Amino acid sequence: MRAYAKTLFSLIALWMAALGCAYGQDKPAPAAQPAPASAAAIQVADIPLRADTDHRYAEGVIENVTASDPADRLAPRLEAIARSSDEKLHQFQPAQLRTLPVMRLESLERHWMFDARRFDRWQADMQRATAAYAAEAAELARRSDAWQAIRNSPGAARLPPALMTSVDAVIAQLAQAEAALSGPLARQIALSQRGAAVESRIMAGQREVASAIDDIDARLLQLDAAPLWRVADQPVAPGQALALLRTGLELELRFAREYAAADTSNQLALHVLQAVLLPLLLWLAWRSRAAIRAQEMSVTAARVLGRPLSAWLLLAMMGVLLLEADAPLIVQQVALLLAVVPVLRLLPPATRQQLGLWPYAITGLYLIERLGVLFLVSETWYRLHSLVLTLLALAASLWLLARARRAPDAQAPGRLRKALHAIAWGATALLAISAIANIVGNLSLAEMLTSAVVSSGYFGLMLYAGVTIIVTLLQLLLARPGVSRFRIAREHAPPLVQLLIRLVTVGAVIGWAVYTMDRFRILRAVYGIVTQTLSYTLAVGNITISLGNILVFVVSVLIAFWAARTVRLLLHDELLNRMPLPRGVGNSVASLSYYSVLLLGLAVALSAAGVKASQLAIVLGALGVGIGFGLQNVVNNFVSGLILMFERPIQPGDAVDIGGTSGEVRDIGMRATRIRTFDGADVVVPNGTLLSEKLTNWTMLDRNRRIDINLGLAYGTDPARALELLTEAARATPGVSVQPAPLALFMGFGQSTLDFSLRAWTPDFDRSLVVRSDLLSRMYAALTQAGIEIPYPQTDLHLRSISEAAGATLAQARHPASGPEQPPGPA
């Protein structure tokens, strides 16, 4: 048994080496690991302790092997995958695949892709289980070799008998563990070989179905049947036709059951969405019943909330198409059929008036097109059904277009009606081509054009109704009183609603475009061209980059910026403002979170774009050289921004003076801070300047501001009375703080006045100038009423010498005469 185990372990080692060679081209070789302590030479003094450790390890391996074998749970999963692939390979031969309708082939393709995903998950679980058992086998071999080295050493004969007995017991225990492990390993190796065979069959099935679809696409411009006037009906036997339908239906239902049993994350998300939507719609309908009766809501909102079950069913079916894009086609077709009634019930009245009878015509044609499965028993009958459907759609389109031209408001059509008319004329031309192709014998082209026109029209109608419901729910939810209490909802609700509406609309348009291209059989070609274009690689030295990498990087960076701004907005406006944090902490945390999310997003973008560590090292090296030569100021400002956010000497809203600039801090960035001056200008100040120059922060600890007013009163004024008047005027002024109380001071004797000073505080920094102006007015009124003069400046002039003429003039000015002497009159 031991020899068998040794041989098996050697085969395992060779098998693992072969796997390493197979995966070595795609995965980097792991770094060499040092040998564990158990593989080192065992010292004589360590024999008792090591014997106990290895004995317990061997017992643990035996217990694990005995308790469970991964092959027992992996084998049924593999057999289910093998059975599914064998049934499809046996039922649909390569030649028979080219006779199936394209929709049937697409369903088979989805089934093969589902089997491939199941096999990938099985293979990952198998590799983990095998790796664990192989690691245990290698560890047992290393421990056994260490003990065998002691047993075969020259000094083994001189060891005490007790130690030799312990050595033999450990060797026997390790051999027993190796023998117990060999069975599960052998089953796992056999199961892996079986898995390789299943994988080859899955790949072969995928290639055959893809080849059949390509063959159908290649026949779109070829005559693949006789003209309609030469067709001889060769109906299939009823029993054979029913057997074919039953077999196909059983295969589709089995695929649907297997898909549902897989219980993927997409299915879980769909179930959660459906479970949340129904009570939400019922609750909104119940809360809005009074507003609906009073006609206080829009007609569209009233229609949506008045029919909550229809709205829920339509959104649930759209969720199936969105979240289960890889589901069986029968599931998606059932979802489209279940949405027929909700689509017609939930179209907005204004849209219904513009569209007229188009929704009913498109829905009816879609239902008739779905009935085509009943005519598969005969190729002729199926062809006639397709032709009748085409002619009905063509006649309906022409009649509705003519009816729209005769309508009273046809002279001023709306935007929706113009778009619908353009699409209708294009669809009419395609339907005419389909009818001609069916008659002359190009069945592939005829079936594709008719089905694509009808299906894409109905799918667009469904998306339009669904987008209407989603937009209505968004508007109602963001306008509710419970939501408006949040600052972010009050300030950002209108632009947020518009952004969400645009995103939903763009998503719907993209979804309709993808569905339409798929129905017109051009999605594969477009996907191939886009893939080839995006995979074009440009190599410059060791750096390789492709258009796809650039696109992924740009999209990832945009998402990173959006996520960073959203995180900062939520933290700054909602979360941190509600917490009792120290001054400036909220702004610093929000800003640092913004840049952290942004840097993380950039790292993810680089990784998603395929930038390797070696390539990034080149870029960082060049960046380091740039920093060393010309980016010192940028780095200085960046580090200064970090210091400002951690020390928090300023925060948005502070009134500061820096370098001759006075204003209010608006935002603090990592490189610069924006200050809005009191004149209304925005000044960008580098963060390094804020730390290197003298900074005055008027509102760092509070928003109190002291008002100092100096004035001079005329000599002769009673100082006590003046102080009393000034203090009372300050106390009576609105906006002046009571504590600390206003203080009037007699400062000294000036040249022509008695100098006083009034010092008062106001708690409102923003209105300090207004308070100062009001205080000056009250002081002047109080002094004027008390008869206290605020004199003009006076100067005393002392003359040492003066001329006689000047002296006479001054004397005459001091003692003016009665006037010039009058001459005597006549006698």
Side-chain angles (χ1 to χ4, degrees):
M1 186 65 180
R2 177 175 175 79
Y4 171 74
K6 287 289 186 183
T7 304
L8 182 60
F9 290 154
S10 300
L11 292 175
I12 292 172
L14 292 175
W15 178 63
M16 295 295 289
L19 286 179
C21 294
Y23 292 103
Q25 297 177 354
D26 299 329
K27 299 181 180 180
Q33 300 291 335
S38 58
I42 302 175
Q43 302 298 325
V44 175
D46 298 334
I47 289 178
L49 181 59
R50 292 288 300 277
D52 181 66
T53 301
D54 290 357
H55 183 78
R56 283 188 281 114
Y57 179 78
E59 287 183 348
V61 171
I62 295 173
E63 290 178 0
N64 292 335
V65 171
T66 306
S68 63
D69 185 358
D72 295 337
R73 56 183 175 82
L74 292 173
R77 290 171 54 187
L78 181 62
E79 290 305 317
I81 300 172
R83 184 167 55 252
S84 176
S85 60
D86 290 341
E87 288 177 354
K88 292 190 290 292
L89 288 175
H90 181 265
Q91 184 175 357
F92 301 102
Q93 301 297 324
Q96 186 182 4
L97 288 175
R98 285 165 171 75
T99 63
L100 296 178
V102 67
M103 186 172 293
R104 191 76 183 86
L105 290 174
E106 289 176 345
S107 179
L108 276 176
E109 185 180 35
R110 288 170 179 252
H111 204 165
W112 281 117
M113 291 175 62
F114 175 72
D115 286 344
R117 286 193 296 271
R118 285 199 300 173
F119 179 81
D120 290 340
R121 290 194 293 269
W122 177 89
Q123 191 175 39
D125 295 340
M126 185 67 193
Q127 288 177 353
R128 284 193 294 269
T130 304
Y133 273 64
E136 289 183 348
E139 181 65 18
L140 287 173
R142 284 193 292 269
R143 294 175 185 253
S144 180
D145 290 341
W147 288 105
Q148 286 290 345
I150 292 179
R151 187 71 180 80
N152 299 329
S153 63
R158 296 191 298 271
L159 291 177
L163 293 181
M164 288 302 301
T165 302
S166 179
V167 169
D168 294 337
V170 173
I171 293 175
Q173 186 71 13
L174 292 174
Q176 184 180 358
E178 291 175 346
L181 195 61
S182 62
L185 274 173
R187 288 192 294 271
Q188 291 174 19
I189 292 175
L191 197 59
S192 297
Q193 295 173 349
R194 168 71 170 160
V198 173
E199 184 180 17
S200 64
R201 289 199 292 272
I202 292 175
M203 295 175 63
Q206 288 180 312
R207 285 194 302 268
E208 292 173 359
V209 172
S211 176
I213 294 177
D214 293 339
D215 181 69
I216 290 180
D217 292 341
R219 297 202 312 262
L220 288 177
L221 300 179
Q222 299 177 2
L223 297 178
D224 52 0
L228 189 62
W229 59 86
R230 295 181 182 177
V231 170
D233 187 18
Q234 297 178 355
V236 183
Q240 183 180 0
L242 291 177
L244 290 175
L245 290 176
R246 187 183 304 110
T247 302
L249 183 59
E250 289 177 354
L251 190 61
E252 288 292 325
L253 293 177
R254 187 182 304 114
F255 179 23
R257 287 193 297 269
E258 293 174 354
Y259 184 86
D263 197 16
T264 60
S265 57
N266 291 348
Q267 298 179 44
L268 179 60
L270 175 63
H271 298 332
V272 172
L273 177 65
Q274 293 173 345
V276 170
L277 275 178
L278 182 58
L280 175 63
L281 288 169
L282 293 176
W283 177 73
L284 287 175
W286 180 76
R287 293 294 299 269
S288 306
R289 63 190 188 281
I292 294 175
R293 285 195 298 267
Q295 297 183 354
E296 297 176 355
M297 305 180 65
S298 65
V299 180
T300 302
R303 180 179 292 270
V304 171
L305 296 182
R307 299 167 179 179
L309 293 180
S310 296
W312 174 79
L313 182 59
L314 178 56
L315 293 180
M317 296 305 101
M318 289 181 61
V320 172
L321 300 177
L322 176 64
L323 297 177
E324 294 187 348
D326 56 348
L329 282 180
I330 189 173
V331 174
Q332 296 188 350
Q333 294 301 324
V334 170
L336 289 171
L337 289 174
L338 291 177
V340 167
V341 175
V343 166
L344 295 178
R345 296 192 69 197
L346 295 172
L347 282 176
T351 304
R352 186 187 298 273
Q353 183 179 3
Q354 289 189 357
L355 294 180
L357 297 177
W358 280 104
Y360 300 98
I362 293 173
T363 305
L365 291 172
Y366 178 76
L367 293 176
I368 296 174
E369 194 262 340
R370 291 295 89 198
L371 294 177
V373 66
L374 301 177
F375 298 92
L376 289 176
V377 295
S378 171
E379 180 180 347
T380 303
W381 283 104
Y382 184 77
R383 183 175 180 178
L384 290 175
H385 167 268
S386 178
L387 180 60
V388 170
L389 175 63
T390 305
L391 295 177
L392 282 175
L394 185 60
S397 300
L398 292 174
W399 178 70
L400 289 173
L401 287 171
R403 185 174 182 271
R405 293 192 62 180
R406 295 193 302 268
D409 57 345
Q411 299 300 325
R415 183 183 303 176
L416 179 61
R417 180 171 293 182
K418 289 182 180 179
L420 181 61
H421 283 188
I423 295 174
W425 280 115
T428 301
L430 293 176
L431 290 172
I433 296 174
S434 174
I436 296 173
N438 194 323
I439 294 173
V440 300
N442 192 343
L443 295 183
S444 300
L445 180 62
E447 180 184 2
M448 181 271 292
L449 289 177
T450 301
S451 177
V453 169
V454 173
S455 299
S456 60
Y458 171 73
F459 189 70
L461 192 66
M462 177 181 175
L463 287 178
Y464 187 84
V467 168
T468 301
I469 298 174
I470 295 174
V471 170
T472 302
L473 293 179
L474 288 175
Q475 293 174 342
L476 291 174
L477 290 175
L478 291 178
R480 294 200 61 81
V483 179
S484 60
R485 64 186 178 91
F486 295 102
R487 177 182 174 185
I488 187 174
R490 293 193 306 270
E491 298 181 358
H492 304 280
L496 179 61
V497 169
Q498 295 301 322
L499 175 62
L500 293 176
I501 290 175
R502 285 196 294 268
L503 290 177
V504 171
T505 304
V506 170
V509 171
I510 293 176
W512 180 82
V514 171
Y515 181 85
T516 302
M517 286 191 296
D518 181 55
R519 300 305 300 162
F520 277 98
R521 312 301 309 154
I522 60 176
L523 181 60
R524 287 174 174 269
V526 172
Y527 179 78
I529 294 174
V530 172
T531 303
Q532 186 177 2
T533 302
L534 295 180
S535 61
Y536 177 77
T537 303
L538 178 64
V540 180
N542 294 328
I543 300 178
T544 58
I545 191 170
S546 65
L547 296 179
N549 292 339
I550 297 175
L551 180 61
V552 170
F553 178 77
V554 171
V555 173
S556 301
V557 168
L558 292 177
I559 293 175
F561 271 102
W562 178 82
R565 293 179 61 185
T566 303
V567 169
R568 181 172 62 179
L569 185 64
L570 290 175
L571 290 175
H572 187 272
D573 290 353
E574 291 298 337
L575 299 180
L576 298 177
N577 284 343
R578 302 174 184 272
M579 299 180 182
L581 298 175
R583 174 190 177 277
V585 171
N587 178 73
S588 298
V589 171
S591 299
L592 291 174
S593 300
Y594 170 80
Y595 290 106
S596 298
V597 173
L598 188 59
L599 291 176
L600 179 62
L602 291 176
V604 173
L606 290 173
S607 176
V611 177
K612 299 179 181 179
S614 58
Q615 299 173 350
L616 190 60
I618 298 175
V619 177
L620 293 178
L623 184 61
V625 174
I627 291 174
F629 282 99
L631 299 179
Q632 298 96 334
N633 292 333
V634 175
V635 176
N636 178 30
N637 292 327
F638 181 81
V639 176
S640 299
L642 293 176
I643 296 175
L644 288 175
M645 290 184 183
F646 281 104
E647 292 188 354
R648 306 186 304 279
I650 59 174
Q651 67 172 341
D654 285 352
V656 298
D657 292 338
I658 176 70
T661 300
S662 300
E664 180 183 354
V665 177
R666 302 306 298 268
D667 58 70
I668 304 172
M670 293 300 292
R671 190 197 67 84
T673 298
R674 185 164 59 95
I675 299 176
R676 187 172 184 83
T677 66
F678 299 120
D679 296 331
D682 287 331
V683 179
V684 179
V685 180
N687 290 331
T689 303
L690 294 176
L691 292 182
S692 61
E693 295 188 6
K694 181 181 178 180
L695 173 67
T696 302
N697 190 341
W698 293 96
T699 57
M700 181 174 181
L701 300 179
D702 53 46
R703 300 193 69 82
N704 293 328
R705 175 71 180 270
R706 197 177 77 173
I707 302 174
D708 292 342
I709 300 177
N710 300 319
L711 75 161
L713 302 180
Y715 275 95
T717 302
D718 183 6
R721 178 58 176 163
L723 294 174
E724 181 182 359
L725 290 174
L726 294 177
T727 304
E728 290 177 356
R731 290 174 178 172
T733 303
V736 173
S737 299
V738 177
Q739 187 65 33
L743 179 63
L745 300 172
F746 183 21
M747 304 302 295
F749 302 95
Q751 292 182 356
S752 56
T753 60
L754 298 178
D755 294 336
F756 293 85
S757 177
L758 177 64
R759 298 175 181 178
W761 289 86
T762 177
D764 192 351
F765 177 87
D766 298 328
R767 298 186 69 252
S768 59
L769 293 179
V770 178
V771 175
R772 178 185 177 88
S773 175
D774 190 11
L775 179 57
L776 286 171
S777 300
R778 292 176 182 271
M779 290 169 54
Y780 181 76
L783 294 173
T784 303
Q785 186 177 3
I788 299 176
E789 180 185 359
I790 302 177
Y792 293 103
Q794 299 178 8
T795 303
D796 291 338
L797 181 62
H798 300 276
L799 301 176
R800 291 188 175 183
S801 62
I802 190 171
S803 64
E804 294 181 359
T809 302
L810 291 176
Q812 185 180 2
R814 177 176 295 182
H815 305 288
S818 58
E821 185 176 347
Q822 298 293 331

